[in-house]
Amino acid sequence: MRIVDLIAKKRDGQSLSTDEIRWFITNYTNDTIPDYQVSALLMAILLKGMEREEIVTLTLAMAESGDMLDLSDIVDYAIDKHSSGGVGDKTSLVVLPLVASFNVPIAKMSGRGLGFSGGTLDKLEAIAGFNVNLGESQFRHLAKETGLVLAGQTKSLAPADGKLYALRDVTGTVESLPLIASSIMSKKLAAGANGIVLDVKLGHGAFMKTLDSARELATIMVQIGVDAGRDMVALLSDMNQPLGVAVGNALEVAEAVRTLQGDGPADFHAHCVDVAAYMLQLAGQGDKWADIEETRNEVEVALKSGRGFDRFRQMTEAQSGDVSQLDNLAKLPKADIIETVTATQSGYIREVLADKVGLTSLALGAGRAKKEDSIDFAVGIEVHASVGDKVETGDVLMTVHANSAASLKDAKKLIETGVTYSETQVEPLPLFYGVIEGTDV
Ligand code: URA
């Protein structure tokens, strides 16, 4: 086989065969095909698209380019979740211990955040000593012993994706839906999940800006999972404004803990209840938790009882984190300067632009612009205003947590552009825009 023939075939809008796709992934992973030819193929895929069968083959080939984690000796059914990422999205910190509190084991590998704010691993590392760098045997041991473990993904997980993603990043080919879907799903399949709940976000602060594009991406990912024999559901959720109040690593850990104690912001609380209910529904395999409304109620009870918090505390202890910071949130990293941002006019909040809040948090040091950047766990923003709120001039809209006068000044200037007002009433934004089940595709 010659890669130039595959490039020409895709350029002319034809489908690639299973053998061709597998050959391309194997030979790119072992460095036999050069980047410049793969760049051309990626661009042809971006321009001409891929059929469902091609996307599934590509995803499986990428997943199988490294180790395929088999969790069947540890758990009967491995349930996982994936969020396409957003500002203030600390959902995993709440939902995973909550689901584990139903005796549904969670053994999850996560990636690091790049961009607006930290990823789940970065948030956990805001807790002193928390170790996310577990070897496979330690990961398995904790999963078996405790039923809840969260670790960084190993280098051997879908290595083809690592290479392809880096190349896409510098060749203008990130935005292809088949390539995004196969990239995300290859890691989920390799990480051993039987059932996956996808939280696909849309809006100003999300990868997908519109409902149509988010639905299309979610549908492709659900199709991949179903065709690969997994149980799937995708939730389409709002990311026009930040989720919850806290944006920034230690601030988000504190908010997650409060939510696990039944005292979280209403939108974030409701979001977590839904994601947890869908995870339980898949894990129940039709025997348990089949009725989503009843399951939501059970999750509410679990939240109020604090048993999710107990699981979070146990996980922190098992992974060497300082639980005293969870028992006393004031002990988490704290910024030197804390200042408020107030409303510049009276009226209704029309927008709290999640992307602007995210960029502000990045400028404060809470996220990474480049892989090598380090994160300041203490800094961030608390967003007290939501779309639809009625405000008076001078009302507090946000609190900025900064570690330097210069970053505070920049943050305040940037954040002011993130809020717009209306003289007339504004409808609050929905939390969810729809659900795509495995049976829908
Ligand atoms: N996240 C991924 O893992 N891959 C993509 O292509 C986009 C987002």
Side-chain angles (χ1 to χ4, degrees), residues 25 29 59-71 80-82 107-112 121 134 136 139-140 151-165 182-193 230:
I25 290 297
T29 310
T59 310
L60 285 169
M62 285 162 69
E64 290 162 14
S65 67
D67 295 343
M68 294 289 282
L69 205 61
D70 180 359
L71 297 170
D80 200 355
K81 75 169 273 286
H82 174 83
K108 180 171 170 61
M109 286 194 177
S110 229
R112 289 214 178 254
L121 301 179
L134 307 177
E136 194 181 325
F139 178 78
R140 284 180 176 281
Q153 67 202 25
T154 56
K155 284 208 169 57
S156 52
L157 197 85
D161 176 62
K163 281 194 81 178
L164 283 171
Y165 194 86
S182 54
S183 164
I184 294 172
M185 287 301 294
S186 64
K187 287 170 283 199
K188 295 284 118 187
L189 299 185
R230 287 6 182 233

Side-chain angles (χ1 to χ4, degrees), residues 269-311:
H269 174 113
H271 182 86
C272 290
V273 168
D274 249 53
V275 175
Y278 279 102
M279 287 179 79
L280 287 170
Q281 189 179 59
L282 289 192
Q285 292 277 283
D287 294 333
K288 273 168 98 177
W289 304 304
D291 182 314
I292 199 73
E293 202 45 56
E294 275 175 24
T295 310
R296 277 194 194 98
N297 292 337
E298 283 191 50
V299 175
E300 287 283 3
V301 171
L303 261 182
K304 292 204 176 76
S305 74
R307 59 180 222 238
F309 174 63
D310 293 342
R311 295 309 308 259

Side-chain angles (χ1 to χ4, degrees), residues 241-409:
Q241 64 183 350
L243 183 60
V245 171
V247 180
N249 300 282
L251 293 169
E252 292 189 45
V253 168
E255 183 161 290
V257 167
R258 283 194 288 270
T259 304
L260 281 165
Q261 293 170 334
D263 192 23
D267 64 331
F268 179 56
H269 174 113
H271 182 86
C272 290
V273 168
D274 249 53
V275 175
Y278 279 102
M279 287 179 79
L280 287 170
Q281 189 179 59
L282 289 192
Q285 292 277 283
D287 294 333
K288 273 168 98 177
W289 304 304
D291 182 314
I292 199 73
E293 202 45 56
E294 275 175 24
T295 310
R296 277 194 194 98
N297 292 337
E298 283 191 50
V299 175
E300 287 283 3
V301 171
L303 261 182
K304 292 204 176 76
S305 74
R307 59 180 222 238
F309 174 63
D310 293 342
R311 295 309 308 259
F312 187 63
R313 210 177 168 286
Q314 280 163 18
M315 171 180 74
T316 302
E317 201 156 27
Q319 294 188 227
S320 313
D322 180 358
V323 285
S324 78
Q325 292 184 321
L326 306 182
D327 297 334
N328 178 4
L329 296 174
K331 288 173 81 175
L332 282 166
K334 223 196 226 117
D336 291 337
I337 313 169
I338 300 176
E339 281 200 15
T340 56
V341 174
T342 54
T344 52
Q345 64 186 80
S346 299
Y348 294 88
I349 301 289
R350 192 159 63 88
E351 292 167 314
V352 184
L353 297 166
D355 51 343
K356 291 281 166 59
V357 176
L359 286 171
T360 308
S361 128
L362 186 61
L364 285 165
R368 271 188 207 91
K370 302 187 299 297
K371 261 204 315 245
E372 308 71 37
D373 290 349
S374 63
I375 280 190
D376 184 341
F377 296 122
V379 299
I381 304 144
E382 288 171 279
V383 184
H384 310 292
S386 300
V387 170
D389 287 355
K390 190 170 186 313
V391 294
E392 303 294 335
T393 307
D395 282 355
V396 174
L397 299 184
M398 311 212 194
T399 308
V400 179
H401 297 243
N403 264 335
S404 77
S407 68
L408 174 75
K409 194 165 157 229

Side-chain angles (χ1 to χ4, degrees), residues 156-177:
S156 52
L157 197 85
D161 176 62
K163 281 194 81 178
L164 283 171
Y165 194 86
L167 192 58
R168 285 165 60 207
D169 212 18
V170 293
T171 54
T173 51
V174 167
E175 284 80 5
S176 149
L177 291 186

